[in-house]
Amino acid sequence: MNKKRIWSAAIVMLAAVGLQAHTMSLGISKEEALATTPVMAPVEEVFDVLPEEVTDGQKSGEPVQPGTATMRRVRMGKKVFDVADQTDNRRVYREQVKRENCFIVISKQEFRLYVYEKVGKDTLLVAHYPVCLSKVKGNKQRVGDMKTPECTPKNPFRISQIQPASSWKHDFKDGRGNIPSYGAWFLRLVTPGHSGIGIHGSTSNESSVPGRDSEGCIRLRDDDIKHLKENYARVGTPVIIKSDAKGPNCGPYAFEEKAWKAAKDFQLPTRGYTLLKGATFEK
């Protein structure tokens, strides 16, 4: 391995164990975001990679069961970190919808954001997007705990503001300077007990989607945040964030299972991991 590959691999190992940052997840304005303490951000992978077989009885590329976690623990030397399925992409099932009837469900287990539409007594699947969630699992308890807050269908969060964010920048102190980091839009959520949580893009950090890298917000690919805002999101849209722990709020909900069955060519996330040379799945 030449010096460039050694250096690149070292950088990515550092990023993989949690030193990369999602910016402005806990801020509420451009100025506050710029004041956020920066840490390492993901760096483009420029080294050799090898595909690996999944060792839990399910082959790479096969759909996971509903509500099943798509994140896997990986060991590289003495370092242990998470990797997510990188093959998942946006998929649209209904082109024409009434925006006022749409709502969002975010699955922490699947690293997916689902859009549904209420049509009469039915709930129909509209679209889904891969997402990046908080660095730390669990329901958010306090500022700085690096967790994404959770809620139930009975008490959903709501989008309170849709803010243009293409000019919002942050310096990760990694040599890239003060760079755009949040995509075109920041969809701010009302999350009782917590502030500064939103759904936004991932400019300069798209390799983190899907995955676990943010400080609490929900991060989409830049094209996907545009698509979500332009087609479905509005101020007042309900947003349900399911738990990443096993339990009644993990899902899928009954209305989701029904909507999935009715959707043409519905696709669950698949396992399509790519690992660095020398890395292995944890048993």
Side-chain angles (χ1 to χ4, degrees):
M1 183 179 291
N2 59 33
K3 291 183 178 179
K4 181 179 180 181
R5 288 179 177 171
I6 293 173
W7 174 241
S8 301
I11 293 174
V12 173
M13 283 180 65
L14 288 174
V17 296
L19 294 179
Q20 69 268 49
H22 159 59
T23 61
M24 212 177 67
S25 292
L26 300 176
I28 60 172
S29 68
K30 174 182 175 183
E31 290 73 18
E32 289 174 328
L34 293 176
T36 303
T37 302
V39 291
M40 283 290 293
V43 178
E44 287 298 320
E45 298 180 0
V46 294
F47 44 82
D48 291 338
V49 294
L50 288 176
E52 291 279 351
E53 284 282 311
V54 176
T55 58
D56 62 357
Q58 188 166 19
K59 293 182 178 180
S60 176
E62 290 186 355
V64 301
Q65 294 300 310
T68 301
T70 56
M71 185 72 79
R72 293 297 307 279
R73 299 290 286 172
V74 168
R75 177 175 293 279
M76 191 170 190
K78 295 182 179 180
K79 303 294 184 181
V80 177
F81 52 92
D82 289 330
V83 294
D85 171 16
Q86 296 297 309
T87 65
D88 201 15
N89 292 296
R90 177 179 78 215
R91 190 172 179 86
V92 176
Y93 298 92
R94 288 175 57 79
E95 296 289 349
Q96 302 296 323
V97 301
K98 291 185 178 180
R99 194 180 298 234
E100 63 271 21
N101 294 337
C102 290
F103 65 97
I104 291 169
V105 176
I106 296 170
S107 172
K108 287 186 174 184
Q109 287 279 344
E110 299 171 44
F111 296 93
R112 263 190 177 178
L113 182 155
Y114 290 93
V115 179
Y116 295 96
E117 181 186 13
K118 291 289 293 182
V119 181
K121 295 182 179 180
D122 294 326
T123 297
L124 303 179
L125 177 62
V126 174
H128 65 65
Y129 308 81
V131 299
C132 172
L133 299 167
S134 59
K135 294 178 181 179
V136 181
K137 292 183 179 181
N139 192 8
K140 190 168 188 63
Q141 302 296 322
R142 62 184 185 279
V143 174
D145 64 6
M146 303 295 179
K147 296 180 180 180
T148 298
E150 301 166 3
C151 61
T152 67
K154 291 184 178 180
N155 296 289
F157 300 144
R158 292 186 182 274
I159 295 176
S160 61
Q161 292 178 292
I162 297 179
Q163 300 172 278
S166 58
S167 64
W168 292 1
K169 298 180 180 181
H170 187 79
D171 188 347
F172 292 92
K173 304 302 181 184
D174 59 0
R176 294 186 296 172
N178 205 34
I179 55 177
S181 303
Y182 310 104
W185 301 100
F186 188 92
L187 282 53
R188 193 172 302 282
L189 300 179
V190 175
T191 55
H194 311 289
S195 63
I197 302 298
I199 304 169
H200 57 77
S202 55
T203 309
S204 306
N205 299 303
E206 286 213 341
S207 62
S208 68
V209 183
R212 188 176 293 284
D213 183 52
S214 84
E215 295 176 359
C217 283
I218 299 89
R219 186 187 297 175
L220 276 68
R221 293 170 181 150
D222 282 355
D223 285 345
D224 288 349
I225 192 65
K226 292 179 184 177
H227 190 270
L228 178 64
K229 185 267 180 185
E230 292 169 0
N231 293 280
Y232 313 123
R234 65 183 179 88
V235 172
T237 296
V239 177
I240 301 163
I241 304 181
K242 296 190 289 188
S243 173
D244 50 18
K246 292 183 179 180
N249 195 40
C250 174
Y253 302 125
F255 72 81
E256 290 188 288
E257 291 183 308
K258 185 177 180 180
W260 294 353
K261 290 179 180 179
K264 184 179 179 181
D265 300 326
F266 172 66
Q267 293 182 349
L268 282 166
T270 61
R271 298 194 189 280
Y273 305 98
T274 301
L275 300 184
L276 303 177
K277 284 183 176 179
T280 58
F281 286 116
E282 284 283 86
K283 298 292 186 179

